[in-house]
Amino acid sequence: MAENYKEDPLAYGDYHERPGPDDGEGEYEGGERGFIGDTYRKFRGRHTGQSSSGQPPNGGPGQSSGLVTGLFNTLHGAVHEIGSEVRQRVSGKTRPSSHNHSGPYCESSMHNSSQIRFGSFAPQRSGNDIKWFVDGCGYMWAVSRALEQARESIWILDWWLSPELYLRRPPTKNEQYRIDRMLQAAAQRGVRVNIIVYKEVTQALTRKYLSPTIPRYLHSLLPRHTDKFTSTLSRLGLAATFASLEFLESENQLINPIVPVCSSHTKHALENLHPNISVFRHPDHLPDAQTLQSSFISSLQNMSLSAKTASSLPLDALKAVYGMNEDVILYWAHHEKLCIVDGKTAFMGGLDLCYGRWDLNQHPIADCHPSNLDDTIFPGQEYNNARVLDFQDVSHWQNNKLDRTKNSRMGWSDISVSLQGPVVEDLRAHFVERWNFIFNEKYDVRKDVRYSRLTFNQNEAGAYHQRPPSSVGIQGYQSSGAYPASFSQPSQPSQPYQPFQPTASPYGQGSQGPSQYFPPPPSSRGVDPDEAEVGSRGFGSFFGDEDRRQQHQPLGEEIDEMAGTVRGRFNDGVQRMENSYEHHRHLHGGFQEAGIPCQIVRSCGKWSHGVPTEHSIQNAYIDVIQKSQCFIYIENQFFITATSDAQKPVRNKIGAAIVDRILRAARAGERYKVIVVIPAVPGFAGDLKDDASLGTRAIMEFQYNSINRGGHSIMEKIANEGFDPTEYIRFYNLRNYDRINKSGTMREAEQQSGVNFEDAQYQYNDAVELPADYPSQGDDGQNRSFSMDRQMYNEYQQSAQGHGSGRWDSVSECYMLGGADIRSVPWESGNVSEMDSFVSEELYVHSKVLIADDRIVICGSANLNDRSQNGDHDSEIAIIIEDPTHVDSYMNGRPWQATKFAATLRRQLFRKHLGLLRSQDMERPNANFEPIGVPNMYDFGSEEDRLVVDPLSDSFLNLWNTRAHQNTYAFGKIFHPVPHDDVRTWKDYDNFYECFFRKADKEAEGKEGKKMPAKYEWGHVVADSFPPGQQGVRDMKDLLSTIKGTLVEMPLLFLIKEDIAKEGVSLNAFTEEVYT
């Protein structure tokens, strides 16, 4: 593979052939993707023995399907004509806002006419402090610190929240740091907890809503003079059509959630812990059957069923079938990740507080600890590889069907931030808007005392403060504790909700007047023991308890006491501020007078937020790219964008901004680079060839069409102007490896105890994942969760003692800075050979960050696709960070004034990907584990730092590209991962991947009910590539030792000769935009 490496012109789109008969894939069934067309082919195939590809079985001639076939052909033609019309309309021609503009503002009348920068609801605000977190370990430690110290309120907005998630690891040493237990403890001390989670789709769209009503109605539209024979055939054909739709949906449900997040479990598990915890789920997706049928039928009134009249079928009628009209929100999700503690400290970015997100920067993908089960890092469903087996039955969190002795987990690479300052008020405003919108839409009518509207006022400088508490209490709550002063409980009947409308600061845009913000010093992070009793109940130290207010003291004594208290607190505050200043100055120099200017941007609209559509995140991306001087770094989960209107249904024009900026640089002879890091497979497909992976293949096709295929991609646009696109923009993925320690220790412990390792592991999971309301300690103070019946666990643990140190339960350190050479790592022969113990997996990129010129950062929850960027689809939140603190740096070999936040974040990411960071120790927290108030720690001037200082220098680019290429070659030879550049057709796919990893169908095996096992487990070493015996192991480890970091090249030639997504039931004129 390495020998064939070259800068292939195909890599930027110089190839547009369709597969022909000689390519082994049959003739391309061209034209648009049609839902009914595909339904017809599959249904016909089932009843005539033909495959869905249209080819007869055994190579025989096709058979006539008779009159039903004729009817299907008629229906197919009519509906295909509808599909063509609807596709054109869905793709944007008749939409009020097509989001095709590349400027900062949307001119559509449906959008907010605010002239705030980027069309955002919030202006830029100075006086903030902010820090970054790379990966989940440090971030979740910081969140746990903030939750532990919460006194008044905790607000969480998440796509998914897992109550049983441990914020600190290993679980056996950190039981109190599980989210549900932390929220329960906070609620018990008077903190009000408000949570909003996305309500996933729990059932198929199902034509059961429409059948048999719609077939009967369609049949009634036949002319009265229709003869009985034709009428009967029509009835049979319609019945067969809807029956086939229901059958196909049962096999390939259109709207099954990618991950079964189980928001119902989140809600009930948390609300059952304490009445101070309130959880909203939103949106509700489907109307009742009567409403849906009525809506569909009413659109067909006075119409006859023909191709001519069907083409004028109202768009909303067809979109209703797919849940895409304004009143039925089927596909779109709340995707923000936001946590606000006490209205002062905020956490936001790409990390949900849910399973699968916690990870270390070396990303271990093996978690098998045969010498001590208590060293487990990822218990129960936390040990997950969605490519092999997705999350299942998450309400029973301790269950996990993924065998950790055979399969790796999937690593998770992500970025989030923590912040304080005036900009947090805009995040509070966003949360309150969302909470009240959902309350009015869904929860007001329930009259449940647990739920109430949130309110706040706007101050003169543009910050927002909530109104004082109402004196009206709620049954079952203490007025001084259950609802602290930061919340009001309405005493009046509910009023229509008015969305927040910001006004500019009187001091000018981006200013907060003369006031300054100083982050709290490290010493103030904890709760003062003298104030704990009062302060833990909310605003007790300011408003006082009821009994305190009723005490009467002489006026003079009261004044003296108050004055003494004020003087003491003032002096204490001054001392703390001085300590904070000295601590910060010692590490980083003096504070900037106005702090860090930041601006909140978002994607939201009518369905998600009850406001006009806002897509200020997209506007910010476009503006920052267009104004960038030298360099753009993008790290994102997706990359789907358009360079022109010709790439419908994709509408966001971030791609156009990239092309425009590159061409300006190319024509001016300037050096300019765009580096993009995205996942190799932007979803969780197992075998990409399976029908179940159609959604993932569709996303991949849209991505390739954005990057280098289809005629309008970024690379093709640049190449068409006479420039080599690879000189300006390149794409990369991440991948890593590990070794499952199924060694002699495990074998000996199993033999001595008579207990299977996985059975003992299962009992371990049972214990660490007990419900939060199960007492974790008994009256004697002993750990009670580990006193339950765990006979198999105890017997295994006892037998395992003294049989190993656990030092090499993971070898992920070997590709990081200072890690051991994999060739020197010992192996204890056990249940499998060392060759079979190595595993590899893509490192899933979930970050959503853009860094421009080492000066500006956009970080948040928004992916680079239409779903996140257009505003009327998924709801998102992001922050633009423009740190004024300059650091001396270099750009293209010349001195360059970078900013501290952007430069350190970019360098930290590059060093991690290149293996230039040391492995993270989850039990030795440093400054990068702490919430805001403790600055980020970064080793300026180190040898590794100097290697990544200048992203445009030849030395850096050579290091970056050489390491990516070498890693790609090593992974390809050892593990045969897909996608890969050697796989350009499905035939190549079979030879490179399927012949090693796919389990043979029972028909191929010839034994009913059985499947022939794959030659190798997914993700394991393809031993065929190496000599047999120990020589092969040595050769393989020699090659593994060349892997440094996790950076690999993105295979731009993967399946370039194929239509990756093909025509299918899940990809058609009505559902394509779901995947963009």
Side-chain angles (χ1 to χ4, degrees):
M1 282 170 284
E3 294 80 357
N4 297 328
Y5 175 80
K6 62 178 181 177
E7 292 293 346
D8 196 317
L10 301 182
Y12 50 91
D14 192 23
Y15 193 94
H16 307 294
E17 291 184 23
R18 288 293 188 188
D22 296 334
D23 293 321
E25 289 299 313
E27 187 176 354
Y28 175 72
E29 296 189 69
E32 62 187 310
R33 295 184 172 89
F35 180 80
I36 297 298
D38 186 76
T39 298
Y40 162 62
R41 284 189 294 276
K42 289 198 174 186
F43 185 79
R44 181 181 64 183
R46 285 182 54 80
H47 291 277
T48 65
Q50 292 185 16
S51 69
S52 60
S53 65
Q55 296 298 318
N58 304 319
Q63 300 178 5
S64 172
S65 46
L67 295 173
V68 175
T69 299
L71 179 60
F72 260 110
N73 283 330
T74 301
L75 290 173
H76 179 211
V79 179
H80 223 60
E81 189 170 334
I82 300 171
S84 178
E85 174 70 17
V86 172
R87 174 191 292 273
Q88 196 173 48
R89 298 175 68 177
V90 168
S91 61
K93 283 190 175 179
T94 61
R95 288 175 178 261
S97 174
S98 64
H99 303 80
N100 289 338
H101 53 86
S102 58
Y105 303 111
C106 180
E107 298 176 356
S108 169
S109 60
M110 71 175 285
H111 285 62
N112 194 330
S113 59
S114 168
Q115 291 303 301
I116 295 175
R117 187 175 72 154
F118 306 130
S120 174
F121 77 109
Q124 184 184 57
R125 302 187 188 280
S126 299
N128 305 287
D129 193 22
I130 188 166
K131 70 182 295 185
W132 45 255
F133 297 90
V134 176
D135 298 317
C137 176
Y139 174 75
M140 293 190 186
W141 183 290
V143 171
S144 75
R145 175 83 78 180
L147 296 181
E148 195 173 37
Q149 298 167 2
R151 301 184 182 189
E152 303 148 13
S153 64
I154 296 170
W155 293 354
I156 299 175
L157 180 55
D158 255 344
W159 178 74
W160 183 17
L161 189 151
S162 302
E164 299 78 24
L165 177 73
Y166 282 87
L167 298 178
R168 301 187 188 182
R169 310 291 169 99
T172 49
K173 297 180 181 179
N174 294 284
E175 288 191 72
Q176 70 272 34
Y177 292 107
R178 211 172 75 174
I179 288 181
D180 51 1
R181 293 180 183 137
M182 298 203 75
L183 295 180
Q184 181 185 38
Q188 289 171 345
R189 62 180 184 261
V191 175
R192 191 73 170 95
V193 181
N194 294 63
I195 299 172
I196 304 172
V197 292
Y198 162 58
K199 182 179 179 181
E200 75 282 9
V201 180
T202 57
Q203 65 182 103
L205 168 60
T206 183
R207 277 91 208 147
K208 293 175 184 177
Y209 276 108
L210 304 175
S211 181
T213 306
I214 298 303
R216 289 174 182 170
Y217 180 76
L218 292 174
H219 186 264
S220 73
L221 297 178
L222 291 173
R224 293 185 178 182
H225 60 267
T226 302
D227 61 88
K228 291 184 179 181
F229 182 73
T230 302
S231 177
T232 301
L233 284 179
S234 298
R235 182 182 292 109
L236 291 173
L238 288 167
T241 298
F242 277 82
S244 65
L245 293 179
E246 290 182 17
F247 170 79
L248 288 170
E249 190 176 71
S250 69
E251 284 196 336
N252 188 9
Q253 296 183 355
L254 289 175
I255 60 172
N256 263 356
I258 295 176
V259 177
V261 297
C262 198
S263 60
S264 176
H265 168 65
T266 301
K267 178 180 178 67
H268 297 299
L270 294 178
E271 287 191 342
N272 288 343
L273 297 177
H274 198 277
N276 268 11
I277 301 176
S278 303
V279 181
F280 282 178
R281 299 194 301 149
H282 189 264
D284 289 330
H285 300 273
L286 291 173
D288 55 65
Q290 183 177 359
T291 301
L292 186 56
Q293 290 176 357
S294 175
S295 172
F296 191 87
I297 291 176
S298 64
S299 68
L300 295 172
Q301 296 295 330
N302 302 318
M303 292 179 62
S304 60
L305 186 62
S306 69
K308 180 178 180 180
T309 56
S311 64
S312 61
L313 190 68
L315 174 62
D316 285 344
L318 284 172
K319 291 183 71 177
V321 182
Y322 288 85
M324 293 167 65
N325 62 350
E326 288 187 352
D327 300 319
V328 185
I329 307 304
L330 199 61
Y331 293 108
W332 316 133
H334 291 301
H335 197 242
E336 297 103 321
K337 300 93 171 62
L338 176 65
C339 177
I340 306 174
V341 178
D342 292 339
K344 300 174 183 178
T345 301
F347 299 86
M348 61 182 295
L351 283 157
D352 292 283
L353 298 176
C354 69
Y355 287 148
R357 282 19 176 201
W358 190 98
D359 212 341
L360 295 155
N361 65 14
Q362 67 269 31
H363 303 285
I365 57 175
D367 191 33
C368 191
H369 304 274
S371 61
N372 185 5
L373 287 166
D374 290 348
D375 289 338
T376 298
I377 303 173
F378 304 95
Q381 297 228 13
E382 265 281 80
Y383 191 81
N384 174 259
N385 187 330
R387 187 180 61 84
V388 179
L389 180 68
D390 208 346
F391 291 105
Q392 294 186 0
D393 192 20
V394 295
S395 59
H396 297 87
W397 47 92
Q398 72 278 13
N399 295 339
N400 191 351
K401 298 177 181 178
L402 185 67
D403 187 345
R404 68 181 66 215
T405 67
K406 296 180 180 178
N407 300 287
S408 73
R409 60 179 288 270
M410 180 181 287
W412 198 270
S413 185
D414 220 327
I415 303 167
S416 286
V417 298
S418 176
L419 59 147
Q420 289 181 336
V423 76
V424 175
E425 297 298 324
D426 294 320
L427 294 173
R428 294 174 68 198
H430 179 78
F431 186 93
V432 170
E433 282 185 353
R434 176 70 50 77
W435 181 272
N436 289 347
F437 168 65
I438 297 172
F439 176 83
N440 289 334
E441 181 183 85
K442 183 174 179 180
Y443 288 93
D444 189 19
V445 297
R446 302 187 183 188
K447 306 303 178 185
D448 189 330
V449 297
R450 182 187 295 268
Y451 309 120
S452 61
R453 184 179 289 107
L454 302 178
T455 55
F456 59 87
N457 287 331
Q458 179 179 351
N459 69 12
E460 291 183 355
Y464 315 100
H465 299 283
Q466 296 183 349
R467 297 169 187 167
S470 167
S471 60
V472 178
I474 297 181
Q475 183 178 359
Y477 292 79
Q478 296 180 359
S479 60
S480 64
Y483 282 91
S486 58
F487 294 86
S488 71
Q489 186 62 24
S491 58
Q492 301 297 325
S494 301
Q495 300 296 323
Y497 170 62
Q498 297 296 323
F500 157 74
Q501 295 291 340
T503 60
S505 165
Y507 301 105
Q509 180 172 317
S511 173
Q512 292 303 306
S515 62
Q516 298 182 27
Y517 171 75
F518 294 94
S523 59
S524 69
R525 294 195 305 273
V527 178
D528 188 333
D530 296 332
E531 298 177 357
E533 181 178 352
V534 175
S536 65
R537 289 196 294 265
F539 278 125
S541 59
F542 293 94
F543 290 90
D545 293 330
E546 195 67 33
D547 57 348
R548 275 195 171 190
R549 288 197 295 269
Q550 293 175 357
Q551 293 179 355
H552 299 281
Q553 294 178 294
L555 181 60
E557 294 180 16
E558 191 171 80
I559 293 174
D560 289 342
E561 181 179 340
M562 182 179 300
T565 300
V566 170
R567 282 195 299 270
R569 292 196 174 188
F570 176 79
N571 292 334
D572 185 51
V574 170
Q575 183 63 47
R576 289 179 177 179
M577 186 178 294
E578 290 175 351
N579 292 342
S580 175
Y581 179 85
E582 288 302 315
H583 173 77
H584 192 282
R585 185 182 62 82
H586 177 70
L587 292 176
H588 303 281
F591 283 110
Q592 287 290 323
E593 181 177 351
I596 298 177
C598 299
Q599 183 180 8
I600 302 300
V601 286
R602 65 185 183 181
S603 295
C604 60
K606 178 181 177 182
W607 82 262
S608 60
H609 215 75
V611 297
T613 302
E614 177 179 330
H615 48 81
S616 52
I617 297 175
Q618 181 185 166
N619 296 343
Y621 263 72
I622 290 172
D623 188 76
V624 169
I625 290 169
Q626 289 178 331
K627 294 178 180 178
S628 62
Q629 298 181 48
C630 306
F631 172 75
I632 289 287
Y633 176 66
I634 294 173
E635 189 168 310
N636 206 286
Q637 184 183 1
F638 296 99
F639 193 88
I640 299 177
T641 185
T643 62
S644 69
D645 292 343
Q647 284 176 282
K648 294 175 179 177
V650 182
R651 294 187 286 147
N652 81 79
K653 292 303 191 322
I654 295 172
I658 293 173
V659 170
D660 177 70
R661 182 62 191 91
I662 288 175
L663 289 179
R664 281 194 285 122
R667 289 163 182 156
E670 300 170 349
R671 193 162 199 180
Y672 183 88
K673 301 287 183 181
V674 179
I675 293 178
V676 182
V677 173
I678 58 177
V681 180
F684 304 123
D687 189 340
L688 285 170
K689 204 171 185 181
D690 287 345
D691 288 343
S693 300
L694 177 60
T696 300
R697 296 202 308 272
I699 295 171
M700 293 178 72
E701 181 177 274
F702 282 119
Q703 290 199 155
Y704 280 124
N705 286 344
S706 301
I707 296 169
N708 71 321
R709 302 181 195 177
H712 303 281
S713 66
I714 291 173
M715 286 187 162
E716 288 171 298
K717 287 283 188 179
I718 297 168
N720 289 341
E721 295 297 316
F723 303 103
D724 179 358
T726 62
E727 288 294 317
Y728 298 93
I729 183 168
R730 294 207 178 199
F731 294 80
Y732 304 86
N733 306 141
L734 303 179
R735 175 168 284 276
N736 62 331
Y737 74 87
D738 211 333
R739 191 180 68 178
I740 298 174
N741 194 13
K742 195 173 181 180
S743 61
T745 299
M746 181 184 296
R747 181 181 60 190
E748 293 168 10
E750 288 180 332
Q751 290 174 350
Q752 185 175 336
S753 65
V755 175
N756 180 272
F757 174 84
E758 277 294 286
D759 291 336
Q761 181 78 51
Y762 190 87
Q763 285 197 342
Y764 167 89
N765 295 339
D766 274 343
V768 299
E769 304 265 334
L770 282 171
D773 52 6
Y774 189 95
S776 61
Q777 291 185 339
D779 296 335
D780 56 359
Q782 296 298 312
N783 189 322
R784 189 169 171 185
S785 66
F786 283 85
S787 65
M788 60 183 293
D789 182 17
R790 299 198 306 158
Q791 181 179 354
M792 289 187 291
Y793 163 83
N794 291 328
E795 290 178 354
Y796 180 91
Q797 283 286 84
Q798 184 176 1
S799 299
Q801 290 180 3
H803 286 295
S805 65
R807 171 68 177 88
W808 298 113
D809 288 347
S810 169
V811 298
S812 55
E813 69 171 61
C814 295
Y815 46 77
M816 301 298 288
L817 180 67
D821 188 321
I822 188 63
R823 293 171 292 188
S824 66
V825 175
W827 172 255
E828 299 176 359
S829 297
N831 294 337
V832 298
S833 69
E834 185 177 16
M835 180 81 81
D836 291 336
S837 69
F838 281 96
V839 288
S840 176
E841 184 55 84
E842 76 163 309
L843 174 52
Y844 198 74
V845 179
H846 193 257
S847 318
K848 297 93 170 54
V849 69
L850 180 148
I851 303 173
D853 297 329
D854 277 359
R855 289 177 175 174
I856 300 176
V857 175
I858 303 176
C859 180
S861 67
N863 293 316
L864 207 161
N865 59 8
D866 273 5
R867 288 192 62 134
S868 290
Q869 297 288 339
N870 284 358
D872 52 358
H873 291 176
D874 292 353
S875 61
E876 308 284 3
I877 195 84
I879 186 169
I880 306 167
I881 304 148
E882 300 179 69
D883 184 1
T885 308
H886 289 162
V887 294
D888 293 333
S889 186
Y890 290 90
M891 192 71 71
N892 195 20
R894 300 187 182 95
W896 181 260
Q897 287 290 297
T899 63
K900 182 174 292 183
F901 185 91
T904 55
L905 175 58
R906 198 267 303 165
R907 295 181 196 180
Q908 184 85 356
L909 291 169
F910 279 21
R911 288 173 61 180
K912 189 188 83 158
H913 300 334
L914 292 169
L916 297 175
L917 289 180
R918 295 187 181 275
S919 295
Q920 203 169 17
D921 188 339
M922 61 188 161
E923 298 189 72
R924 298 182 64 184
N926 57 34
N928 291 341
F929 284 58
E930 295 293 337
I932 190 64
V934 179
N936 280 121
M937 177 179 68
Y938 186 80
D939 56 342
F940 284 102
S942 67
E943 180 180 352
E944 292 75 30
D945 175 57
R946 291 195 297 270
L947 291 173
V948 299
V949 161
D950 186 346
L952 294 190
S953 69
D954 290 336
S955 60
F956 165 76
L957 292 171
N958 181 65
L959 171 66
W960 181 268
N961 289 317
T962 300
R963 191 155 289 188
H965 176 61
Q966 178 57 42
N967 290 350
T968 302
Y969 170 72
F971 279 120
K973 183 173 178 61
I974 298 171
F975 298 103
H976 283 231
V978 288
H980 194 276
D981 266 339
D982 285 352
V983 177
R984 305 189 185 188
T985 67
W986 286 118
K987 186 176 181 180
D988 294 338
Y989 184 90
D990 292 340
N991 295 331
F992 183 83
Y993 179 82
E994 289 244 315
C995 66
F996 298 114
F997 296 106
R998 184 176 177 83
K999 294 180 180 180
D1001 293 335
K1002 59 185 179 182
E1003 291 83 0
E1005 174 70 358
K1007 298 177 181 179
E1008 185 175 356
K1010 296 183 180 179
K1011 289 187 177 181
M1012 182 174 64
K1015 191 170 185 179
Y1016 301 105
E1017 295 283 348
W1018 273 347
H1020 284 247
V1021 175
V1022 176
D1024 293 36
S1025 303
F1026 301 94
Q1030 285 303 306
Q1031 183 60 48
V1033 174
R1034 285 192 294 270
D1035 290 352
M1036 183 268 297
K1037 293 177 78 171
D1038 282 344
L1039 191 53
L1040 269 182
S1041 70
T1042 66
I1043 294 175
K1044 302 297 181 184
T1046 59
L1047 188 71
V1048 293
E1049 298 166 327
M1050 181 173 179
L1052 297 183
L1053 304 180
F1054 179 65
L1055 293 178
I1056 196 167
K1057 296 183 180 181
E1058 303 284 358
D1059 176 10
I1060 298 177
K1062 290 190 177 180
E1063 186 169 0
V1065 66
S1066 293
L1067 187 63
N1068 51 77
F1070 316 117
T1071 60
E1072 274 187 328
E1073 66 176 295
V1074 173
Y1075 298 108
T1076 64

